[in-house]
Amino acid sequence: MNIGEASKQSGVSERMIRHYEKIGLIPAPPRRGAGYRDYGARDLHRLRFIANARDLGFPIEEIRTLLGLWADTGRSSADVKRVALARAEELQRKAEALTTLRETLVDLAERCHGDERPDCPINTELSLDRKC
């Protein structure tokens, strides 16, 4: 099947399919007579794997690791679990950081009068030099 059909069936855009091929996440498919890529069922399965991993927040290099583990029938499930738990911990760290940011913004907004007066703690806070 051509790239358009592979895109429809996998849910991965044509642009991303080309990108994944370029960076080696999917092997270059054979080409038909006119030079069109010819994707098969195995390619679709791999593209869905990548899409699902991306949806779960895995970055490209971790997806590369997971694909390697997926292809290695001799690997232990503990190896896969270790990668997943590390990603879950990173997502927890990011969630906590986002919660802190949200709480800070809500606090600033609550301290702002929101009227015609020019003074506003939001602008004051944003203007502080915090790079030290």
Side-chain angles (χ1 to χ4, degrees):
M1 80 189 72
N2 67 23
I3 195 168
E5 188 60 31
S7 174
K8 286 178 195 168
Q9 289 191 33
S10 68
V12 177
S13 72
E14 293 179 27
R15 182 173 123 328
M16 288 310 296
I17 292 173
R18 287 184 196 97
H19 175 68
Y20 294 153
E21 182 183 330
K22 181 179 176 184
I23 64 172
L25 278 186
I26 62 170
R31 302 257 181 174
R32 287 190 248 163
Y36 293 107
R37 293 170 171 87
D38 190 20
Y39 296 92
R42 187 173 187 170
D43 298 311
L44 288 178
H45 198 63
R46 192 172 181 97
L47 286 168
R48 288 185 191 118
F49 182 102
I50 294 167
N52 290 334
R54 293 292 289 170
D55 288 346
L56 288 172
F58 286 101
I60 293 296
E61 286 311 310
E62 287 179 19
I63 293 173
R64 189 180 310 281
T65 298
L66 288 168
L67 284 167
L69 291 169
W70 183 45
D72 179 4
T73 57
R75 56 98 176 106
S76 70
S77 62
D79 295 334
V80 181
K81 183 177 182 176
R82 191 172 11 265
V83 175
L85 289 176
R87 174 62 20 211
E89 287 176 18
E90 178 64 16
L91 290 173
Q92 181 63 40
R93 187 195 63 72
K94 287 181 179 183
E96 289 168 1
L98 285 172
T99 297
T100 300
L101 289 174
R102 182 189 175 284
E103 289 169 353
T104 300
L105 286 172
V106 168
D107 177 62
L108 288 170
E110 287 174 351
R111 291 189 288 135
C112 180
H113 295 288
D115 55 19
E116 288 74 36
R117 291 183 278 185
D119 58 317
C120 177
I122 299 169
N123 284 337
T124 302
E125 187 73 20
L126 293 175
S127 68
L128 296 177
D129 183 9
R130 297 189 182 272
K131 294 184 182 187
C132 299

